[in-house]
Amino acid sequence: LIINHAGLVIFIRSWIPLGLIDEEKELIRMGSVFHALQDQSKQSTRCTPTYIEFTTVASSFVFNANAGIMCILLHDIEDGSDFGSLLAEEILKAFTDKFGSRKEAFAGAVHMDSFQEFHQILPEAMTRNVERKILYRLQSTRGIKGCMFKTRSGGMAGAISGVDEFSIGANIADLEAASDLLVPRSDGIDWISLTISKDYIIYIHRFGECSLVSQCRNNVSKQKYIHAIENAVSLLIKLSELEWKLQG
């Protein structure tokens, strides 16, 4: 849902039927309720919720103060707040890129038909920069020098200092071959480490047809960055699954 500063829903997109009698009407009502909740929280605590979990669904909220609009993304609880906020940020950015970022564009009794063309670009727009953001966040972690991600299609994203893409690709291929040999014995490989110099160690995490390669400093404790790597792997798994579902 995207709503304006007056609490009016100006865009709705649903991928999975919610089982409601009049789904669009109920979602519009839901948007008004969320807007009222945000206003009440801001008045009483001077803070606004960015993530709420219900019994079976979670909601992530992202705001654009200049445009006076908010994106509310309803998603599985298992997706978590990090993934939900990343997607909601991309949706809202794509929306303002398409229709402008001034409050006047979304003020008043704006009809949803004015934004119908956003349906066509939304599936691709919502995941466009998420991969880059995940890698940038990982590379900003103390102890991590660089990182690269091998996508389902075999492409490589990111960069590692002093290591070329072909070397990384070859090591990933070796990892995949070893994993395939061990699978019949129910002993798959999740990750391997490669010491490339006295200064750096490379970790390669494999998940499905994708792999994440992280270049880490030997003089920094593994405990400083291993959680960030595992979190990036979790987010990239969710992103890959979402992209596959959207393409299907």
Side-chain angles (χ1 to χ4, degrees), residues 24-43:
E24 182 172 301
K25 184 177 180 180
E26 290 300 321
L27 287 173
I28 290 174
R29 184 181 301 170
M30 190 181 299
S32 299
V33 170
F34 278 130
H35 182 266
L37 173 64
Q38 295 286 336
D39 278 351
Q40 184 177 2
S41 297
K42 190 172 183 178
Q43 291 174 11

Side-chain angles (χ1 to χ4, degrees), residues 149-169:
F149 174 56
K150 178 198 168 191
T151 65
R152 286 177 182 269
S153 63
M156 300 292 288
I160 292 181
S161 176
V163 180
D164 63 83
E165 181 178 320
F166 299 103
S167 297
I168 293 296

Side-chain angles (χ1 to χ4, degrees), residues 23 35 62 79 103 116 129 174 183 185 188 217 220 234:
E23 187 164 296
H35 182 266
V62 174
D79 291 332
K103 284 186 179 180
Q116 284 303 300
N129 294 312
D174 289 341
V183 165
R185 290 183 280 165
R217 302 178 190 274
V220 177
S234 175

Side-chain angles (χ1 to χ4, degrees), residues 191-193 201-205 212-214 216 222 225 229:
W191 62 273
I192 61 173
S193 62
I201 183 170
I202 295 285
Y203 289 94
I204 303 178
H205 288 75
L212 175 65
V213 183
S214 307
C216 306
K222 177 181 176 182
Y225 55 76
I229 295 177

